[in-house]
Structures are given as structure tokens and as C-alpha cells.
Amino acid sequence: MTDEQLSAFRRRVRAWLSSADIPSLPDDLDARFAVLRRWQRDLYRAGLLGLTWPPEWGGSGLDSRYQQALIEELVNVRAPQPAGLIGLDVVGPSIGRFGTERQRSRYLPPILSGDEIWCQGFSEPEAGSDLASVKTTARLESGTYIVNGQKVWTSWAHVADWCALLVRTSVADGRRGLSYLIVDMRSRGITVRPLRQISGDSEFNEVFFENVTVPASNLVGLPGDGWAIAMDTLSHERGTYIGRRYAEVSAALGDACDSLAEALGRDQAAVPERLFETVGEAKVAEQVLHAQAVATLGRSVTSGASPLDSVDKLVLARTEQDIFESLRSLLGPFLNECGETAWGLRSLAVGRDYLYGRAASIYGGTSQIQKNIVAERLLGVPRD
Ligand SMILES: Cc1cc2nc3c(=O)[nH]c(=O)nc-3n(C[C@H](O)[C@H](O)[C@H](O)COP(=O)(O)OP(=O)(O)OC[C@H]3O[C@@H](n4cnc5c(N)ncnc54)[C@H](O)[C@@H]3O)c2cc1C
């Protein structure tokens, strides 16, 4: 792919966006999700989803620079990302790689179109960082798996049609007894209980499985392949996310700087001196994130998952939290006052970004776990 082809692609996206019906997002999470789902259908009809998926999965077979270009063009006009990111970025590629032909043709097209939404059922109350301790069982009886157990922190389970579920199919110790099942979220015996987050949203859930029946044909790979496939899924979550999040964080900081500049123009005396230092620090953090995202993009054009994805995850968590902490510090006590404005910054937007940023060092594997990976797999430090 040449630079000229990439520029032509950017022009095509800009032209489409200039006449697209770009939605604004309601504060209410469920209403927001419905809007994002419609937006995904629009992006799909415009041929802008599955850019890096191979054509045999219904994708465009382009490299990751195209995906990043799309993300940036969307962010530039403050258009949102599509609703079904777990399917598009995380679970879909694993089904493409490890699934059967029947599974690929059944599940991948509706992931692209947004007709079906996925969730990822890995974490359990006693198995988060240590996924090898998963206890949810799937017992095979006459061609059907019977699933029992509990998952937690399952993002979007309350709106999902399907779940990529990590289950124990054998009493074999640890990772060797794990398998990867595709579960219909409307099956009898599934109970979804939303959990309220610090931001006030209920994006993730507890999910209970009581004698849920799943056809054996919904197994991805072979019994016992669950660990390898789950690691593939997590590597997408760790690796591909940085470019998307960089664009969003950078846009949020850009908007904040615009508001601050406007406030400064109105009343220079009212603006505290520390503002310049704070914004400067946030801008430096943004540049660090940018450098990391560019390096990752270059690497992902030529190679797949790598322990370097853990470095990305660490840099992303640290810089995202630093940037939003800087903006939060400018709001001071106004942060907790819904709808208040200080130095031109809106408390609701800054507060939500700041609180969501706290999750960056937890989801997709905590920062401590990423440091373990870096120590053992990149630096060769012996396991403790
Ligand atoms: C916003 C958000 C969305 C999420 N969405 C999903 C989802 O859709 N699906 C899903 O399955 N999960 C999801 N998760 C769960 C996430 O993957 C887990 O929270 C994460 O893996 C940590 O597991 P835990 O919460 O059980 O913490 P624990 O594993 O109990 O860890 C507790 C603390 O101990 C530390 N620790 C644990 N083991 C070690 C070790 N070996 N060395 C050093 N320190 C260690 C951890 O770093 C952490 O600080 C989500 C989490 C968040 C925050």
C-alpha cells in the first residue's frame, strides 16, 4: 500500500463524513448505545468496517494504518466509534482465526454490520488476573454443553446477543482444562445483573449461568484450546486499543485546550498561573502516547501479537490517567458539580473522562500483570 493510496482513503472517508448524519451522544448509557449501534450500521454500509479483516471474513484486507486513519478522521470531526467494538476489535478476530468455516460465515458478518453485539466472558470473582483459575464449567452431554458458573465485569452483557465464554471443560489443572464457547445471551438460565460504576454508568455486569445449554458446535477450536484462544483475544484488546484511545484522549485534551484558550481570551486575570504548567504536562504526556501509538502501528503492519503490547498498555494507562488528572486538577471542587464550568472546562465531560481513565490500569489485564509480562518475556527476569 502506498502513501498515495492511504491519502486517497483519507479523502474518501472525509468526503463520506462531510455528508454523513454524525450523531451526538446522549448522556444516558442505554440511549447512547442505541445511537452508536445505528452509527455502526452507517459506517458498515459505507464500507468502513472490517478494514483490517481479510476479504474471506468480509473485510477489506488492508493494513492497520488504514484502521488508524479511519479512527483519526472520525475523531477529527468528533464522530463516535461504532457500538460493537468487542466484536470488531477483540472477539471477532479470534473467531476468524480459530473458528470453523461455519462459525466464520455465521458470526462475522453481523459483527461487522452491528446487527449482533458481543461480550467477552472471561473474568470471574476468583479469576481475573489469574484466568487459569476459571471455575465456570461446561459439561458435554449428548452433543450439548451444560454451562454453570458466574462471570463478572462483563462489559455490555446487558445488550449483547452473544458471549465469548471461557469455560472449564475438564478437571485438568489450570489452563489445560479451558475451552472457548460461543454462547447465545438469550439462552434460558442466563441472568445478567448490571454493576454501577464510579462514573455512574452501568457498562459492565455480573452474569450467572445455571444449566445453560450450548450446542457442541459452538466450541471454538478443540476442547482445551481455550487458553490459547483467550490469550489471542486479550492480545487484540491490549494491542489494537492504543491507537483508538490515543485519538480519543488527544481529542479530549484538544477540546479542553480550546475551552481554556477561550476563557483566557475573555478574562486573563481569572485564569490561575498553574494552568500553563498543568496543560504543558498534559501535552507532554499526549506526545508520549502519540510516539507509542505510532511505534505500535508500525509494528502491527508487519507482525502480530507481541509482549510489546504490554508496554503499550502500560504507557496508555499511565498517560491517559496523567492527562485526565491534569484536567481534573484545574476543575478542583467543581469536578463534582454536574454541569459546572471552570476556566471553560465542563465538569461533566472532564469528570467522566477522569473517572473512566481509572479503569485503564485494570481492564485487559492490570498494570501489575503487564509489568510481570514485560519482566518475564521481554527482560528475561525469572518467574517468582
Ligand atoms: C472497565 C472494565 C471493563 C472490563 N470488561 C471486561 C469484560 O468485558 N470481560 C471480562 O472478562 N473482564 C472484564 N474486565 C475485568 C478485567 O479484565 C479484570 O478486572 C482484570 O483482569 C483484573 O482482575 P480482577 O479485577 O479480578 O483483579 P485481581 O486479579 O483480583 O487483582 C487484584 C489486584 O492484585 C494484583 N495482582 C493480581 N495478580 C498479581 C500478580 N501475579 N502479580 C502482581 N500483582 C497481581 C492486580 O494487579 C490488582 O491490583 C473489565 C474491567 C474493567 C475495569
Side-chain angles (χ1 to χ4, degrees):
M1 311 283 172
T2 64
D3 288 351
E4 179 42 42
Q5 285 170 313
L6 191 57
S7 303
F9 173 75
R10 276 192 187 267
R11 284 195 297 277
R12 172 162 88 82
V13 175
R14 272 180 218 152
W16 181 76
L17 282 170
S18 67
S19 57
D21 185 12
I22 299 172
S24 49
L25 296 182
D27 283 334
D28 174 70
L29 186 72
D30 289 337
R32 201 152 73 224
F33 192 80
V35 167
L36 291 176
R37 206 166 172 164
R38 278 200 299 280
W39 178 236
Q40 177 164 347
R41 294 201 179 109
D42 290 351
L43 288 165
Y44 174 68
R45 285 195 204 102
L48 294 174
L49 293 183
L51 294 176
T52 56
W53 288 19
E56 54 278 21
W57 302 359
S60 309
L62 298 167
D63 71 46
S64 47
R65 288 172 302 169
Y66 285 77
Q67 179 65 29
Q68 187 60 25
L70 172 67
I71 292 167
E72 287 172 10
E73 294 301 333
L74 290 175
V75 169
N76 284 346
V77 294
R78 301 297 183 262
Q81 308 292 329
L85 287 180
I86 292 185
L88 289 166
D89 283 1
V90 182
V91 173
S94 291
I95 292 178
R97 189 161 307 142
F98 295 95
T100 60
E101 194 45 53
R102 187 198 70 82
Q103 288 168 343
R104 274 193 285 274
S105 57
R106 164 63 188 85
Y107 298 111
L108 296 185
I111 285 180
L112 290 176
S113 63
D115 287 332
E116 290 179 349
I117 297 296
W118 281 68
C119 62
Q120 175 192 326
F122 289 7
S123 304
E124 297 183 0
E126 302 297 327
S129 301
D130 180 19
L131 272 183
S133 302
V134 155
K135 288 192 178 63
T136 297
T137 54
R139 200 179 65 251
L140 191 58
E141 275 182 20
S142 340
T144 302
Y145 282 106
I146 316 289
V147 178
N148 281 286
Q150 184 201 339
K151 296 291 172 179
V152 72
W153 317 127
T154 321
S155 302
W156 308 111
H158 58 299
V159 286
D161 301 285
W162 296 96
C163 180
L165 194 69
L166 192 60
V167 289
R168 185 159 294 287
T169 44
S170 137
V171 287
D173 272 350
R175 47 186 82 169
R176 283 181 295 128
L178 296 176
S179 300
Y180 199 98
L181 266 190
I182 295 173
V183 176
D184 184 343
M185 286 300 285
R186 294 193 189 80
S187 309
R188 188 194 297 257
I190 295 183
T191 307
V192 178
R193 282 199 207 134
L195 292 164
R196 195 170 153 85
Q197 293 158 232
I198 193 172
S199 62
D201 286 339
S202 292
E203 182 183 302
F204 49 39
N205 306 269
E206 293 179 295
V207 186
F208 299 86
F209 298 84
E210 203 184 336
N211 293 321
V212 176
T213 55
V214 181
S217 57
N218 283 19
L219 181 73
V220 183
L222 297 170
D225 283 352
W227 178 264
I229 305 174
M231 291 306 111
D232 181 75
T233 302
L234 284 174
S235 75
H236 300 307
E237 188 174 356
R238 284 169 196 161
T240 55
Y241 196 63
I242 188 167
R244 193 180 291 287
R245 199 63 193 139
Y246 160 70
E248 289 170 349
V249 169
S250 175
L253 180 59
D255 286 348
C257 287
D258 289 348
S259 307
L260 290 166
E262 220 182 294
L264 198 63
R266 276 197 307 270
D267 182 5
Q268 297 217 0
V271 177
E273 217 169 283
R274 69 190 159 84
L275 181 141
F276 296 102
E277 195 184 326
T278 306
V279 170
E281 280 166 4
K283 276 284 180 193
V284 170
E286 183 204 17
Q287 287 307 304
V288 170
L289 192 54
H290 180 246
Q292 191 71 23
V294 168
T296 301
L297 196 60
R299 190 178 73 237
S300 60
V301 170
T302 51
S303 61
S306 144
L308 287 168
D309 297 338
S310 293
V311 179
D312 288 352
K313 182 79 191 355
L314 282 166
V315 173
L316 175 63
R318 175 75 188 273
T319 49
E320 172 168 350
Q321 290 176 352
D322 282 354
I323 288 171
F324 292 130
E325 167 62 29
S326 300
L327 297 179
R328 185 204 66 82
S329 74
L330 289 175
L331 272 172
F334 291 115
L335 181 73
N336 298 321
E337 289 299 318
C338 183
E340 280 294 338
T341 307
W343 330 123
L345 297 176
R346 280 180 55 233
S347 65
L348 197 64
V350 173
R352 177 178 284 157
D353 285 339
Y354 168 73
L355 292 173
Y356 192 77
R358 310 315 300 161
S361 48
I362 304 175
Y363 58 66
T366 66
S367 288
Q368 287 83 358
I369 294 302
Q370 307 308 332
K371 285 178 188 166
N372 284 352
I373 295 172
V374 170
E376 289 163 16
R377 296 182 53 200
L378 285 178
L379 304 177
V381 175
R383 287 176 71 94
D384 64 14

